[in-house]
Amino acid sequence: MHRMFRLAGLFAAALLLAPAGRAGAQDANITQPVPELERLLAAEPLVITQAEISRPNAKGDITLRAEVSFGDAPPLRVKLRKSEPGANSFNNVPRYDLAAYELQKLFLDPAEYVVPPTALRMVPLADFARYSPGVKRTFPAADQVLAVVQYWLRDIQVPPDVYDPARFAADPLYARHIGQLNVFTYLIRHGDSNMGNFILGKAEVGARVFSVDHGVAFASDESDRGELWKSMRVDRLPADTVERLRQITPQGLTDSLGVLAQWKLEGGNYVAVARGANLSASQGVRRKADALQMGLTKSEIRDVDRRLASLLERIDRGEIVLLPAAPTASAP
């Protein structure tokens, strides 16, 4: 018993001494400032210059690894995933991918995001069909495909499981990242722990961890795709992360997740516009006149809030230990 307390004390002390720059600085995994990547992915003109199935040996994989030009910016490698007609099929719910990306912003800084920069884009059907034969328009009114566009991570590896208990005990910064990842996966009810959906940086110390596929999450039907990350796998979390969780309110969740993206039908194409008032809190995909809008439903947001409350209750009961946080530099 004394040895256990001693190890816990050493772990906490090491966390306090972790280098400040590692948690806050740009690193080998995401090599451009996050705000700039968000702007490129969401707003700049997009041209696909090359693309191929990202995991050709994975049965049914529809995700493309694509080289894309955004306006005058240098070409960028991205993940490009097409929607099915209606944009709301099992394991292919684009609004869930964007909701996952936006949710993390409520308790993480950009330098510690566990989801890489992600956006939703309307891509001309003919452009997508060059690399994905048989692709169908997402909505009848426009010859376009709604796609999830996500920054392609660098300097990474894909282990069978990114969570290594021994490394969690020995590497404070890695443990910090794993804890933050687990908070995120728990809040969204992540239901697809198949290999390839969780990514580990190659850094020997303080490696970052990422979640890159959120098609089975939130209110998705139960599945057999693996639910390792739906529950809390760790029993120690950074105190500063928990403090930010305590600041999240039901209204804050609604403001962030209720309306995620919006388009207007102009000349036979859906054009991205500023997000407006919620067109229907009971629906995730909303269409009214020439407007198309996506967001989480009132029920889905309520479930996130319930899971957040449950997590905080466990922390308050002492089931999850709070550890002093490593000092962090300002995010890039």
Side-chain angles (χ1 to χ4, degrees), residues 288-301:
K288 184 177 181 180
D290 59 358
L292 170 65
Q293 186 185 82
M294 292 187 186
L296 291 193
T297 66
K298 183 177 181 180
S299 175
E300 291 165 343
I301 294 171

Side-chain angles (χ1 to χ4, degrees), residues 26-191:
Q26 250 171 250
D27 58 24
N29 306 120
I30 299 178
T31 59
Q32 297 183 46
V34 167
E36 174 65 7
L37 289 171
E38 288 181 343
R39 185 186 66 80
L40 291 175
L41 297 181
E44 286 296 310
L46 178 156
V47 177
I48 306 171
T49 58
Q50 192 276 331
E52 60 186 3
I53 294 294
S54 65
R55 291 183 287 180
N57 295 325
K59 184 179 179 180
D61 186 28
I62 62 171
T63 300
L64 298 176
R65 178 176 59 196
E67 303 294 331
V68 176
S69 292
F70 290 100
D72 296 330
L76 192 66
R77 178 169 291 181
V78 301
K79 181 180 88 170
L80 204 59
R81 183 181 177 92
K82 66 181 180 181
S83 302
E84 297 298 329
N88 208 41
S89 57
F90 177 74
N91 195 27
N92 193 348
V93 187
R95 62 192 180 89
Y96 283 177
D97 283 286
L98 187 54
Y101 181 68
E102 293 297 325
L103 175 60
Q104 70 179 342
K105 295 181 178 182
L106 297 179
F107 61 95
L108 297 176
D109 291 328
E112 294 189 304
Y113 282 178
V114 295
V115 183
T118 301
L120 300 184
R121 291 289 296 256
M122 291 291 184
V123 179
L125 180 66
D127 292 353
F128 219 116
R130 292 170 56 198
Y131 305 100
S132 183
V135 65
K136 298 179 176 62
R137 63 177 68 175
T138 306
F139 300 102
D143 283 330
Q144 293 171 302
V145 179
L146 178 66
V148 176
V149 187
Q150 186 178 83
Y151 178 83
W152 193 274
L153 293 165
R154 300 171 180 268
D155 199 41
I156 51 88
Q157 53 188 319
V158 187
D161 189 354
V162 296
Y163 175 46
D164 179 342
R167 188 172 184 179
F168 184 85
D171 183 343
L173 194 50
Y174 163 81
R176 176 181 176 86
H177 296 322
I178 285 288
Q180 291 169 331
L181 173 73
N182 203 175
V183 167
F184 164 78
T185 61
Y186 175 78
L187 291 179
I188 72 168
R189 295 182 70 250
H190 198 294

Side-chain angles (χ1 to χ4, degrees), residues 166-221:
R167 188 172 184 179
F168 184 85
D171 183 343
L173 194 50
Y174 163 81
R176 176 181 176 86
H177 296 322
I178 285 288
Q180 291 169 331
L181 173 73
N182 203 175
V183 167
F184 164 78
T185 61
Y186 175 78
L187 291 179
I188 72 168
R189 295 182 70 250
H190 198 294
D192 187 355
S193 55
N194 283 349
M195 186 172 176
N197 290 343
F198 295 92
I199 309 295
L200 177 67
K202 291 183 178 179
E204 293 184 6
V205 177
R208 289 182 66 179
V209 289
F210 298 92
S211 177
V212 298
D213 189 331
H214 311 101
V216 185
F218 297 105
S220 292
D221 293 336

